[in-house]
Amino acid sequence: MKKLHLICNAHLDPVWLWRWEEGLGEALSTFRIAAEFCENYDGFIFNHNEALLYEWIEEYDPSLFKRIQGLVKTGKWHIMGGWYVQPDCNMPSGESITRQILYGKRYFMEKFRIEPKTAINFDSFGHSRGLVQIMAKSGYDSYIFCRPDISLKDLPGEDFIWEGFDGTEVIAHRAFRFYLSQKGKSVDKIRDFMEKKPEQTPAMILWGIGNHGGGPSKEDLEAIQQLREERKDYEILHSTPEDYFNELRESGLEPGRFNESINPFAVGCYTSQIRIKQKHRELENELYSAEKMMSAASAAGLMKYDAVAVKEALKDLLFCEFHDILPGSSIQLAEEDALRTMDHGLEIISRLKAKSFFMLMKGQKKAPDRTLPIFVYNPHPWTVNGNFECEYMNEFNNTKEKFSVPHIVYGDVEIACQDEREFSGLSAFDWRKRVVFKGRLKPSSMNRFDLTLEELDEKPGMMSYENKEFIDIKTDEMRVKISRETGLIDTMKIGETKYFDKNAFRPVVIKDNADAWGMKVDRFENEEGSFRIMTSAEARKFANITAEEFEPVHVTEDGAVRTIVESYFKYDNSALCISYIIPKKGAELEVKARVYWGETDKMLKLEVPAAFRRTGYLGNIVSGIEKLRTDGGEAVSQKWVAAFDEESEKAFGIINNCIYGSSCKDNAVRLTLLRSPAYSGHPLGDKPILIEDRYTPRIDQGERRYSFKIIFGDKKSIMKTVDRKGIEFNEKPMVLTAYPSGEGKKPKKLLEISGKKISLQTFKKAEDGNGYILRLFNGYQKKSKATVTSKVLAFSMDIEMGPVEIATYRIADGKVIKTDLLEREI
């Protein structure tokens, strides 16, 4: 007899797609109805996940929560999945996915004494291969998903072994006809399965009313019972995902294997509502950096680790990773709610970071007269080299008719620095100041730089770049030529090696439509035009400059540390300022873009043509590194992408703090900055996406900002260093001017990791309060070794990690114990 497992579930998108209050109301009513069916229908089992909803039920209807606890004990109500929410599964970092599981599972184990073994993300828009390692190391053995469906992605079968980067694996199942069924139509879905897959056993079908709501109905349960009596060749049972996978394993069937990400689907979601994505990345960066700083201060006995505050901010982050918030498919009200929620988390974290920073300043000597100390805390357990920026008040000059030039000393050595335009509009006074300096930061330490000022009669002039065709910047390591005619990079060389072809960072406008998801496409290639350089008159108007001599391509800053060139562009209703930042020492280029967007149903990409013969393309994904498409299809990645010449092995890495979508074709990388479809514009068959009877607002109108760092070398050197570089660019060291009291003792270094390949993913207080959790990641595709040392916690250990491996340790009572991702000893 064939066996068919029916999984009744409810999916509550209004929590995220529309308004959370609306979703709460629907969750309450859905759970009440489901509880009644569980109590009154023998054999029926209701399945649900997402700890956040249960937290809400616990708060807003305690009696219903107790009923559900009772039903879980009897097996009538099953907790499946066990994550905090069903997140997007491509854009959150590996650490954020880990926290989704950690907080979800801990909640269910505490409140219901149950630990799910099957993870589920029914509605997420694609699934990164990096999930496998995280799930396997969090106690999962199986996974259910729906998207992309069979028409978009070939897989070995409905059931298959999904292999992780590190050799871990889970059994994965792509659900037949998604997770839902319309009211009274569940039996139609079951019959369709029986007709199309008559030999499949064991089998599993998901059902539940509607897309935005769900659960059982009397009509469906009675129809299922009638079908059970009719089809004697099937044992049809209300079941759970764990029961299905247990039977599948016992059946002796050998599913096929798959070792890629399960993408693409809804590729517009890699970019839609870029403000949410940027705010999410900012909160991720600030939160995980703050945890490291708090750990350093608390381990040194300088302050208490405020785990309650951290958890509150983390929940803001996890909530906004839901698969209709972070992907940008929600309505405008939900977008505003999400931004407000993440700002709440950022405010909490900013206070925690500030407290940690000042505690870590303990033991610093008082400043000498007329000396301003600049402190830089490096949260990373390796040396960080870079250019650092700091604003300060010139207490010694104020409104004098003089100009103060900075000098910075590190220890006893004067280092390169330069004065740059401050962020405020106080340029009439030499009062508010901004300095940029080249520094070398010790690992996990507070670094001090002492600033003094020299008074001059006037501000020093900048170097003159008189070439009428190019701004040609040469240093010992690199040469960058920027065309005055196009405003784009014409030549980019490191030594004698050319890396870019002409017109690098060309702003390309792509024809798009009102579909917020991008459901019916897998690429954005239909070029409509590109931004052109402004005329001098347009540039004066754009920058609000009254002087006649103002060019659209010109040098804005030039000193001992770096040169900055700005180019101003125009396209129809939009404008764009690109800043090229070229260091005087080193071979890393920074590019910043400030977009003023006024287009509808269009997309903006920055094109970087590689001076390669045959380009390969790699990207940083969830706890992994993956080969990305080179056919022009839209790809998703996180902190960095890398292009390399498959013939010469020369390469460059593009690190970002703000985007997820890109494409590569014909030796050109295109970085996707934004798109402007309608809010929740949803295609349905051949019907128009929008009813065209009024003004419909579009996504991402107005100002948006982006930052990139480009590193150059051969493929091997890039891949050894790019992961750490990506972390440094995102979790920036905290820089602040302050006068220390001279009291206390300098704290010992929290952590140091040798080598270049193994990075610190997290350092935080353990969830049970017993010691600290250290999580490492080998961001290299080969085995790597390192020595991990902590002076303040008095331990040192030599480690060897496999390719792209995550390793977690608990440090407590003078011992270092390896754990799983739920912080349990293994």
Side-chain angles (χ1 to χ4, degrees):
M1 181 181 290
K2 291 173 282 189
K3 203 163 185 180
L4 183 57
H5 295 255
L6 302 183
I7 313 296
C8 182
N9 71 97
H11 185 61
L12 302 171
D13 265 358
V15 178
W16 341 93
L17 192 59
W18 317 125
R19 296 290 301 275
W20 80 267
E21 298 95 336
E22 183 181 343
L24 170 61
E26 187 157 326
L28 288 166
S29 60
T30 299
F31 279 23
R32 288 170 188 149
I33 292 168
E36 289 178 11
F37 279 103
C38 288
E39 291 163 344
N40 294 306
Y41 278 77
D42 289 341
F44 172 68
I45 301 173
F46 180 67
N47 295 263
H48 199 264
N49 65 317
E50 294 172 326
L52 175 60
L53 292 182
Y54 289 85
E55 285 185 335
W56 285 353
I57 300 298
E58 185 178 11
E59 179 178 357
Y60 290 98
D61 193 340
S63 61
L64 174 60
F65 185 78
K66 289 181 179 178
R67 283 174 67 192
I68 294 171
Q69 283 181 315
L71 290 168
V72 170
K73 285 182 180 178
T74 62
K76 301 278 288 179
W77 186 299
H78 181 69
I79 303 296
M80 64 178 179
W83 295 23
Y84 192 68
V85 299
Q86 283 190 52
D88 178 85
C89 291
N90 281 310
M91 290 178 283
S93 67
E95 185 60 28
S96 291
I97 295 292
T98 298
R99 303 298 178 94
Q100 288 281 353
I101 296 170
L102 177 64
Y103 281 93
K105 271 202 171 187
R106 284 182 63 85
Y107 178 83
F108 287 121
M109 287 189 286
E110 177 189 349
K111 301 294 182 178
F112 296 94
R113 301 292 188 267
I114 188 170
E115 181 184 351
K117 297 296 183 182
T118 299
I120 64 104
N121 282 299
F122 292 159
D123 205 20
S124 300
F125 309 147
H127 310 265
S128 170
R129 185 185 177 192
L131 295 178
V132 178
Q133 180 177 186
I134 296 171
M135 291 189 291
K137 291 181 176 178
S138 299
Y140 289 107
D141 56 27
S142 44
Y143 187 56
I144 306 175
F145 67 97
C146 299
R147 306 177 190 277
D149 67 21
I150 195 168
S151 68
L152 297 173
K153 186 72 175 181
D154 288 330
L155 294 170
E158 262 189 14
D159 298 294
F160 57 94
I161 304 298
W162 195 15
E163 300 175 346
F165 291 106
D166 67 326
T168 53
E169 57 187 44
V170 296
I171 303 176
H173 175 91
R174 178 163 60 188
F176 176 78
R177 282 179 47 185
F178 298 103
Y179 51 84
L180 64 139
S181 56
Q182 299 303 312
K183 185 176 181 180
K185 302 293 184 180
S186 59
V187 164
D188 292 346
K189 182 177 181 179
I190 298 168
R191 289 186 187 278
D192 186 38
F193 174 85
M194 291 174 169
E195 181 180 334
K196 290 178 177 175
K197 303 195 176 189
E199 303 303 320
Q200 187 166 324
T201 184
M204 175 168 59
I205 293 179
L206 309 179
W207 71 280
I209 298 170
N211 183 37
H212 300 134
S217 73
K218 181 179 179 182
E219 183 179 350
D220 283 289
L221 286 172
E222 290 177 351
I224 289 170
Q225 181 57 35
Q226 184 175 342
L227 182 66
R228 293 169 76 177
E229 295 171 0
E230 173 188 325
R231 292 298 300 259
K232 300 300 183 182
D233 55 332
Y234 275 92
E235 180 184 359
I236 303 173
L237 66 159
H238 297 292
S239 187
T240 70
E242 281 82 355
D243 285 346
Y244 168 74
F245 285 111
N246 285 339
E247 183 170 349
L248 180 64
R249 278 185 286 268
E250 292 169 1
S251 71
L253 295 173
E254 295 186 7
R257 291 184 168 271
F258 191 71
N259 61 0
E260 302 172 15
S261 291
I262 305 171
N263 284 319
F265 175 75
V267 295
C269 285
Y270 305 157
T271 303
S272 291
Q273 292 185 20
I274 198 67
R275 278 197 306 168
I276 282 181
K277 293 168 172 59
Q278 292 178 336
K279 190 71 72 173
H280 166 263
R281 179 79 70 85
E282 182 184 4
L283 181 51
E284 270 192 331
N285 293 337
E286 292 296 300
L287 194 154
Y288 300 137
S289 179
E291 286 182 333
K292 294 163 189 165
M293 292 175 67
M294 291 175 65
S295 296
S298 65
L302 300 172
M303 62 178 277
K304 182 181 177 181
Y305 188 102
D306 194 343
V308 174
V310 171
K311 189 172 184 178
E312 185 176 359
L314 182 63
K315 285 185 176 182
D316 291 335
L317 177 73
L318 301 182
F319 173 87
C320 292
E321 289 175 343
F322 190 78
H323 65 264
D324 276 314
I325 296 179
L326 183 55
S329 51
S330 63
I331 64 170
Q332 192 168 10
L333 284 172
E335 177 191 38
E336 292 164 356
D337 283 351
L339 293 170
R340 185 180 66 244
T341 297
M342 288 186 282
D343 277 333
H344 173 258
L346 282 166
E347 182 59 29
I348 292 171
I349 291 303
S350 71
R351 295 169 187 243
L352 296 175
K353 282 189 73 173
K355 183 176 181 180
S356 303
F357 187 90
F358 286 109
M359 292 298 105
L360 291 165
M361 276 176 52
K362 293 288 186 181
Q364 294 289 338
K365 295 179 181 179
K366 287 185 177 182
D369 187 38
R370 300 185 69 83
T371 298
L372 179 62
I374 298 175
F375 291 98
V376 186
Y377 185 77
N378 177 13
H380 309 299
W382 57 80
T383 300
V384 172
N385 295 291
N387 296 333
F388 304 98
E389 306 171 13
C390 184
E391 291 220 345
Y392 62 97
M393 299 301 294
N394 179 0
E395 300 178 37
F396 318 121
N397 195 359
N398 290 346
T399 59
K400 292 180 182 179
E401 296 297 322
K402 298 280 188 179
F403 186 83
S404 300
V405 175
H407 295 274
I408 291 182
V409 172
Y410 179 67
D412 297 324
V413 179
E414 184 164 355
I415 61 175
C417 69
Q418 71 186 59
D419 185 89
E420 289 191 356
R421 171 76 176 271
E422 69 279 1
F423 292 126
S424 64
L426 297 172
S427 55
F429 308 107
D430 192 35
W431 183 25
R432 183 67 177 173
K433 304 280 287 181
R434 184 161 172 259
V435 67
V436 178
F437 58 96
K438 186 171 182 62
R440 180 180 176 87
L441 307 182
K442 295 177 181 178
S444 298
S445 298
M446 185 66 76
N447 297 263
R448 177 173 177 161
F449 302 84
D450 284 334
L451 180 146
T452 56
L453 295 170
E454 175 189 2
E455 286 188 356
L456 302 179
D457 290 334
E458 60 182 20
K459 184 176 180 178
M462 291 189 293
M463 182 184 297
S464 177
Y465 294 89
E466 296 179 353
N467 187 310
K468 293 182 179 180
E469 295 183 12
F470 301 98
I471 295 177
D472 191 355
I473 300 169
K474 302 175 186 177
T475 70
D476 292 340
E477 292 95 343
M478 62 195 301
R479 183 178 186 182
V480 182
K481 287 175 64 177
I482 298 163
S483 169
R484 293 185 187 273
E485 181 182 356
T486 66
L488 306 173
I489 293 180
D490 182 85
T491 300
M492 175 68 237
K493 287 184 176 181
I494 306 297
E496 294 301 316
T497 303
K498 184 180 178 183
Y499 284 89
F500 297 162
D501 274 337
K502 288 184 177 181
N503 297 325
F505 297 96
R506 180 172 72 100
V508 182
V509 179
I510 305 293
K511 187 175 181 180
D512 200 350
N513 63 19
D515 175 6
W517 284 263
M519 285 189 176
K520 295 188 174 183
V521 297
D522 75 337
R523 65 194 59 227
F524 299 97
E525 291 188 301
N526 191 355
E527 185 173 330
E528 184 171 282
S530 63
F531 279 69
R532 62 166 176 82
I533 198 70
M534 290 183 183
T535 64
S536 294
E538 288 170 334
R540 288 197 300 272
K541 184 177 180 180
F542 170 68
N544 200 24
I545 301 295
T546 57
E548 288 296 320
E549 294 185 4
F550 185 76
E551 295 302 319
V553 184
H554 65 279
V555 176
T556 59
E557 303 287 354
D558 189 56
V561 177
R562 64 189 187 183
T563 303
I564 301 179
V565 179
E566 285 189 353
S567 297
Y568 308 134
F569 302 87
K570 183 174 176 56
Y571 180 88
D572 203 2
N573 299 313
S574 303
L576 168 65
C577 172
I578 294 182
S579 299
Y580 306 103
I581 304 172
I582 301 101
K584 293 298 175 71
K585 295 289 184 182
E588 297 178 349
L589 172 71
E590 285 193 54
V591 176
K592 294 187 178 183
R594 188 184 292 257
V595 183
Y596 298 88
W597 187 249
E599 313 304 318
T600 60
D601 297 350
K602 294 180 178 67
M603 170 182 277
L604 176 61
K605 287 175 173 275
L606 285 184
E607 182 179 75
V608 185
F612 300 162
R613 293 184 178 180
R614 191 170 73 251
T615 299
Y617 197 42
L618 296 168
N620 159 231
I621 64 170
V622 175
S623 293
I625 300 165
E626 190 162 62
K627 185 177 181 180
L628 303 180
R629 307 172 67 173
T630 54
D631 63 351
E634 196 73 1
V636 61
S637 57
Q638 296 190 0
K639 293 183 176 71
W640 57 265
V641 293
F644 62 94
D645 191 335
E646 293 181 341
E647 295 185 14
S648 71
E649 289 292 295
K650 66 179 177 180
F652 58 82
I654 304 177
I655 300 164
N656 75 84
N657 68 355
C658 48
I659 69 165
Y660 295 90
S662 69
S663 57
C664 181
K665 186 179 181 179
D666 298 332
N667 297 322
V669 174
R670 285 183 166 182
L671 307 168
T672 310
L673 301 192
L674 53 78
R675 60 189 300 256
S676 47
Y679 285 94
S680 295
H682 194 310
L684 188 62
D686 295 328
K687 295 180 180 179
I689 296 174
L690 299 176
I691 299 173
E692 297 180 353
D693 64 345
R694 68 198 66 199
Y695 168 76
T696 301
R698 292 305 202 273
I699 289 169
D700 281 319
Q701 301 295 292
E703 181 182 349
R704 301 291 182 267
R705 290 175 287 176
Y706 306 84
S707 295
F708 303 93
K709 175 179 279 190
I710 301 90
I711 61 175
F712 304 91
D714 60 79
K715 181 184 176 183
K716 186 175 182 180
S717 66
I718 292 291
M719 297 312 297
K720 282 182 178 179
T721 59
V722 68
D723 197 66
R724 281 192 178 183
K725 292 281 189 182
I727 295 170
E728 293 170 17
F729 192 65
N730 279 266
E731 293 182 36
K732 294 184 184 297
M734 185 171 176
V735 185
L736 194 66
T737 59
Y739 288 99
S741 67
E743 299 173 353
K745 186 178 180 181
K746 284 186 181 180
K748 294 180 180 179
K749 190 184 301 180
L750 175 67
L751 203 68
E752 186 165 2
I753 302 175
S754 67
K756 296 181 179 179
K757 304 168 191 172
I758 294 175
S759 59
L760 176 63
Q761 186 165 308
T762 195
F763 200 107
K764 69 179 189 72
K765 197 75 172 176
E767 292 302 306
D768 60 9
N770 181 23
Y772 294 89
I773 295 299
L774 162 67
R775 188 150 30 251
L776 304 174
F777 177 65
N778 178 17
Y780 192 51
Q781 293 172 304
K782 294 183 179 179
K783 286 184 179 180
S784 302
K785 296 180 180 180
T787 299
V788 182
T789 305
S790 173
K791 290 185 177 179
V792 70
L793 294 173
F795 78 86
S796 180
M797 63 177 179
D798 295 322
I799 59 169
E800 180 176 281
M801 296 180 67
V804 200
E805 181 188 357
I806 304 167
T808 306
Y809 302 87
R810 181 192 293 265
I811 304 157
D813 303 322
K815 298 178 181 178
V816 180
I817 301 167
K818 196 164 188 179
T819 74
D820 64 9
L821 294 179
L822 297 184
E823 303 179 9
R824 302 177 295 201
E825 183 175 352
I826 53 177

